[in-house]
Amino acid sequence: MRKTFGLLALLLVAPLARAGDALPLPALKIDASRTAVVGLSSGAYMAAQVQLVYPELFPNAAIVAGGPFGCAGGKLDAALGSCMKGVPAPDVGALVASAGRRSASGEIGALKNLAHARVYLLHGKDDALVAPAVAEAGAQFYRQLRDGMPGLKGMQVHDDDQRAFAHNLPVAGSGDDCDKSVAPYLGHCGFDAAGEIFAQMFGKPAHAATTAQGELRTFDQDALRPDGADAFLAVTGYVYLPLDCLAGKPCGVMVAFHGCRQNADAVGKAFVEDAGFNRWADVYDVAVLYPQTRASLAPLNPQACWDWWGYSGADYDSRHGVQLRWVVNAVRALGLPAGH
């Protein structure tokens, strides 16, 4: 009982300690033609949700160790079974058909906006948490969507599934954690996943990345609550701002979703500083938004995952989903034009 109360106290007090430090997002000159979402694990499912629900805003997505959109169907047991272990295997055909129906009804975005989408799926062969069959189902989802829907033949789907790493985001340095899934879930595998993600999303770089030269700032996430509704996020989020963006140059925007137990309360600034995105953001002139979840017992989300099974409500993966609407508020505040 004492441990339970201690955890509750930690969950309630820790975010409040930083509330006074958070500022609004700066308004930049955002180029609406250069947007992307990326995520690891629960963040990968979240990235897919943002892309399918708001394809007019985010046609490009990089999905690391995740599965197909709509996989959980609002059920935690399905999320833990079919959508992580691959038992039973996700029914990709049914998920694609469901996406088509939901798009036609307006529950998610118009899929025609994926006509020139870039989708990059990355999954390690040593991943023991999200089964290879689940990642393959994610790739098949996009292929079937592309091949079965008129107007989507130009969608690019790159399935990168032959690299040896565990359930983590690979980074450029070498170390002994590539084949493990341990905090902060950045595997030193000698593969710069962030660089590959930028290239897949925005094309070949103009030059190699060095060290990050821009500014990493905190911002007030509560100020962006949709209609005041709790989005089950931390008080404070992070945003990386290349110097050119701060100087007024048109910039792209990437939203990077951490995985479970990879939020700042759990791993500090490891993900927002060390994943590798910031130095490539300088090369491409792309601002990187790092929204942060919070752990909770009610609703049950003790590992601070993004909502890809319904803890925030039954409409979590629709245009009514509170976390998805929060993301739209955030990119609008950052300067994404209202006409897009």
Side-chain angles (χ1 to χ4, degrees):
M1 185 65 73
R2 287 181 181 176
K3 289 183 177 179
T4 300
F5 283 119
L7 177 58
L8 283 169
L10 179 63
L11 293 175
L12 291 171
V13 174
L16 294 177
R18 296 194 307 273
D21 299 332
L23 298 172
L25 281 168
L28 307 177
K29 185 181 290 184
I30 297 298
D31 177 359
S33 69
R34 296 197 303 128
T35 64
V37 284
V38 57
L40 169 67
S41 194
S42 77
Y45 275 107
M46 185 64 176
Q49 288 175 174
V50 173
Q51 183 194 34
L52 270 292
V53 176
Y54 292 103
E56 72 276 19
L57 302 182
F58 289 101
N60 307 312
I63 295 168
V64 185
F69 170 73
C71 186
K75 299 176 181 177
L76 180 57
D77 58 344
L80 296 174
S82 180
C83 307
M84 290 182 68
K85 299 177 182 177
V87 181
D91 187 338
V92 176
L95 293 174
V96 171
S98 175
R101 290 192 300 269
R102 296 178 71 189
S103 176
S105 72
E107 191 177 337
I108 66 174
L111 298 181
K112 66 180 182 180
N113 289 303
L114 297 175
H116 304 290
R118 295 184 176 193
V119 184
Y120 175 56
L121 304 106
L122 177 63
H123 189 269
K125 293 194 296 181
D126 300 330
D127 192 331
L129 193 63
V130 174
V134 174
E136 180 56 27
Q140 286 292 344
F141 174 89
Y142 285 104
R143 293 191 193 106
Q144 289 190 24
L145 195 66
R146 176 195 64 196
D147 298 342
M149 186 168 291
L152 297 189
K153 303 304 181 188
M155 180 191 294
Q156 299 178 35
V157 182
H158 183 188
D159 186 12
D160 189 347
D161 63 348
Q162 295 302 307
R163 301 179 189 273
F165 63 93
H167 190 76
N168 54 48
L169 179 73
V171 295
S174 298
D176 61 359
D177 57 1
C178 185
D179 61 350
K180 302 178 180 67
S181 183
V182 294
Y185 311 102
L186 301 174
H188 294 78
C189 304
F191 170 54
D192 186 1
E196 183 63 25
I197 287 167
F198 266 91
Q200 291 287 335
M201 297 295 96
F202 303 117
K204 292 181 180 180
H207 55 84
T210 55
T211 57
Q213 302 294 320
E215 295 184 18
L216 181 67
R217 298 182 183 178
T218 58
F219 69 95
D220 181 2
Q221 296 196 142
D222 279 349
L224 301 168
R225 290 186 176 197
D227 300 320
D230 189 356
F232 307 100
L233 303 183
V235 171
T236 303
Y238 294 85
V239 59
Y240 180 78
L241 304 165
L243 296 179
D244 283 347
C245 300
L246 289 171
K249 183 176 180 178
C251 281
V253 61
M254 175 183 284
V255 185
F257 298 104
H258 61 72
C260 301
R261 296 183 294 175
Q262 201 182 30
N263 60 323
D265 285 338
V267 302
K269 290 192 284 186
F271 181 70
V272 303
E273 287 186 335
D274 301 331
F277 295 116
N278 298 343
R279 57 196 183 88
W280 285 108
D282 287 346
V283 175
Y284 285 86
D285 289 334
V286 170
V288 184
L289 197 68
Y290 294 101
Q292 300 291 308
T293 58
R294 72 172 190 262
S296 63
L297 296 179
L300 188 62
N301 182 31
Q303 296 184 0
C305 302
W306 288 97
D307 188 8
W308 61 282
W309 69 86
Y311 71 73
S312 67
D315 54 6
Y316 68 100
D317 64 348
S318 77
R319 290 175 89 95
H320 299 290
V322 68
Q323 290 187 348
L324 294 169
R325 290 189 293 138
W326 182 94
V327 171
V328 173
N329 284 352
V331 294
R332 294 288 190 220
L334 198 59
L336 186 68
H340 292 83

